Amino acid sequence: MDSALQGVLLINLGTPDAPETGPVRRYLREFLSDPRVLDIPPVGRAALLYGAILPFRPQRSAEQYRKIWMPQGSPLLVYGNALRDRLQDALGPGWVVELGMRYGIPSLASALEKLRASGARELTVVPLYPQYASSSTGSSLEKVYRLVGEAWNVEALRVLPPFYDRPAFLDAFADVGRPVLAESRPDQVLFSFHGLPERQVKKSDPTGKHCLASVDCCDVQVPANRWCYRMQCFFTARELANRLGLEAGKWTVTFQSRLGRTPWIRPYTDVVIPELAGKGVKRLAVFCPAFVADCLETLEEIGIRAKNQFLSVGGEVLTLVPSLNAHPSWVRGLTQMIRHLRGDEPLSDAAA
């Protein structure tokens, strides 16, 4: 056993074990029981979960999962395992890489046990969420800290911060998207990010005065919006548009996947799509830069539902730009960010 091994823990949100009602219900119960996800008082959270969500949503979600399920399993897990393997190859001897899910299987606990069993002495924790949200990055790190702290021998941890502004991430997404845009020749490009309730964005503002207080609050980075998910999404979109050579007015930022009746951050993807069609947009390309792996929210929500919506209101072609998955540019960029975090090498100009 090599005590000098460096461990890497890749974290993504999670997926049900199978596209059936039972496994989906178990997954949703674990996911939506998290107080960082449903950040309302416990009694209200239980009433919403067991009274309104779990009796109905699992069957609908299972039907959606069946539309995108791969022969090897859930796309999120399939692509996550591929990234783990390619990253292991890129990092080389002296490193061991495991994938853990915040909810579902493989669990974070099982991934940590594998890393310990391999002899990894130090751990680099890599939450695979480009933009920070308490419901994703925050929840995942809280769980890792708790699991690591429960052991008698507590490993040293390094954590890769949100990488929404890192050229290694942005360049990789541009590399994936550039040939897709060249082939699809869209009239408009949509950058559709996962949404959040407005209350969660406001809670990220330490001043309580900046976030969502004006229409241009996300246009610049200031101390008050350092943790703001919406600001980070707009930053990512602006940088991608610049790399892709998109003209002003030819790209739009929207937010998808809202749940419930409370206000979520705007503009909404499913509202903007018919508006674009009404303005004469016939060919639409959609990036989903909140996700580094294709999953239900990209393949089904955008690739199927949003596409059908666009076609039903007069659009002709909606092209979903693939996520990073295990693209060589992403493996290369992630490898460099991990090595830089450990101090092994400086970042190049392409990933500074």
Side-chain angles (χ1 to χ4, degrees):
M1 185 177 294
D2 185 357
S3 61
L5 275 176
Q6 299 294 318
V8 176
L9 174 61
L10 302 176
I11 305 176
N12 217 324
L13 203 68
T15 178
D17 304 333
E20 305 299 335
T21 301
V24 172
R25 180 179 290 111
R26 288 194 296 272
Y27 170 72
L28 290 177
R29 182 168 56 240
E30 181 184 8
F31 173 43
L32 297 174
S33 294
D34 188 338
R36 287 182 181 266
V37 175
L38 279 181
D39 57 323
I40 58 178
V43 172
R45 182 166 56 249
L48 182 60
L49 182 59
Y50 290 99
I53 298 177
L54 290 182
F56 309 104
R57 190 174 179 86
Q59 182 176 353
R60 293 198 303 268
S61 293
E63 292 171 357
Q64 294 165 351
Y65 273 109
R66 282 194 286 272
K67 295 177 183 178
I68 63 154
W69 210 258
M70 303 170 72
Q72 311 96 307
S74 167
L76 184 71
L77 183 57
V78 172
Y79 292 127
N81 286 335
L83 178 63
R84 176 201 61 197
D85 295 345
R86 299 293 80 74
L87 187 64
Q88 178 70 74
D89 293 341
L91 287 168
W95 294 79
V96 58
V97 183
E98 291 294 344
L99 171 68
M101 298 295 185
R102 174 60 183 90
Y103 316 102
I105 298 173
S107 68
L108 292 177
S110 68
L112 283 169
E113 281 305 310
K114 287 182 179 180
L115 289 168
R116 287 167 177 153
S118 73
R121 186 174 60 186
E122 296 180 353
L123 296 182
T124 298
V125 181
V126 182
L128 291 171
Y129 319 113
Q131 300 83 20
Y132 177 86
S134 182
S135 54
S136 53
T137 314
S139 178
S140 296
L141 290 179
E142 180 188 22
K143 181 72 170 181
V144 168
Y145 295 153
R146 188 184 312 127
L147 290 169
V148 170
E150 288 172 353
W152 183 258
N153 300 316
V154 178
E155 295 94 344
L157 298 181
R158 294 183 181 87
V159 177
L160 183 69
F163 43 85
Y164 68 97
D165 58 347
R166 297 290 288 272
F169 161 70
L170 297 165
D171 291 344
F173 234 122
D175 286 349
V176 171
R178 199 171 286 113
V180 178
L181 297 186
E183 182 177 351
S184 62
R185 297 175 289 106
D187 305 322
Q188 187 81 10
V189 172
L190 204 63
F191 295 106
S192 180
F193 295 84
H194 198 287
L196 284 180
E198 288 186 354
R199 67 176 182 272
Q200 293 189 5
V201 171
K202 291 178 180 177
K203 285 165 69 173
S204 72
D205 178 0
T207 70
K209 299 177 181 179
H210 180 86
C211 285
L212 303 183
S214 65
V215 295
D216 59 353
C217 60
C218 293
D219 288 353
V220 295
Q221 291 177 293
V222 295
N225 65 11
R226 173 192 173 197
W227 295 96
C228 177
Y229 173 83
R230 189 173 185 272
M231 180 280 293
Q232 294 179 8
C233 291
F234 272 90
F235 187 100
T236 296
R238 286 193 299 269
E239 290 295 314
L240 282 176
N242 181 59
R243 281 164 169 76
L244 294 165
L246 302 180
E247 300 176 9
K250 292 296 185 180
W251 58 275
T252 310
V253 176
T254 60
F255 298 91
Q256 63 183 85
S257 310
R258 70 185 186 277
L259 173 68
R261 299 177 181 178
T262 59
W264 282 47
I265 52 178
R266 294 175 172 84
Y268 300 142
T269 300
D270 61 350
V271 172
V272 170
I273 284 177
E275 291 176 349
L276 291 174
K279 294 176 181 178
V281 172
K282 297 297 184 183
R283 305 178 67 84
L284 181 64
V286 185
F287 287 77
C288 296
F291 306 95
V292 299
D294 278 313
C295 54
L296 186 72
E297 288 80 1
T298 66
L299 299 172
E300 194 279 333
E301 186 175 357
I302 300 299
I304 297 176
R305 269 188 285 160
K307 179 179 180 179
N308 290 339
Q309 181 192 25
F310 185 59
L311 298 180
S312 72
V313 292
E316 295 178 358
V317 178
L318 186 150
T319 301
L320 172 64
V321 177
S323 194
L324 297 174
N325 298 321
H327 190 279
S329 292
W330 176 226
V331 174
R332 193 162 51 245
L334 190 56
T335 299
Q336 191 174 42
M337 287 194 289
I338 291 170
R339 287 191 176 277
H340 174 73
L341 187 65
R342 188 174 177 268
D344 288 351
E345 63 180 59
L347 290 179
S348 68
D349 291 340

